[in-house]
Amino acid sequence: DYFGIIPYWGMILIGTVIGNLFYKNRTTLFPKQQPSERNIVIFAGQKSLIIFLTHQFILFGLMFVVGYIFGYRL
């Protein structure tokens, strides 16, 4: 499918204007916290390429095993 940028250009401009109006100081609104080393989001971000490449083989193997159990043969 094709999604052109021109129909959404107005939304981008509106978001830019609203961001400049309400976020002038450019300071965060979230409280500062020291991230833990055992945080799953940080771990997944650091290992994202490995996760992306291996999950495809794992899912394919899982689908193959489930298909074989239910009687699908190659």
Side-chain angles (χ1 to χ4, degrees):
D1 292 347
Y2 171 73
F3 296 102
I5 192 169
I6 301 300
Y8 299 103
W9 188 248
M11 298 301 282
I12 293 169
L13 291 177
I14 290 170
T16 303
V17 169
I18 290 174
N20 287 335
L21 285 175
F22 293 109
Y23 199 58
K24 289 181 183 179
N25 297 334
R26 298 187 193 273
T27 57
T28 182
L29 302 175
F30 295 106
K32 294 188 182 207
Q33 296 178 359
Q34 186 68 13
S36 171
E37 291 294 325
R38 297 179 354 190
N39 190 342
I40 189 71
V41 176
I42 293 174
F43 176 78
Q46 291 173 344
K47 309 291 184 198
S48 60
L49 179 61
I50 295 169
I51 293 170
F52 175 73
L53 292 176
T54 57
H55 90 280
Q56 297 177 22
F57 295 107
I58 292 169
L59 288 178
F60 180 75
L62 192 65
M63 288 190 316
F64 183 78
V65 168
V66 169
Y68 191 78
I69 290 171
F70 285 106
Y72 293 102
R73 307 285 187 257
L74 292 177

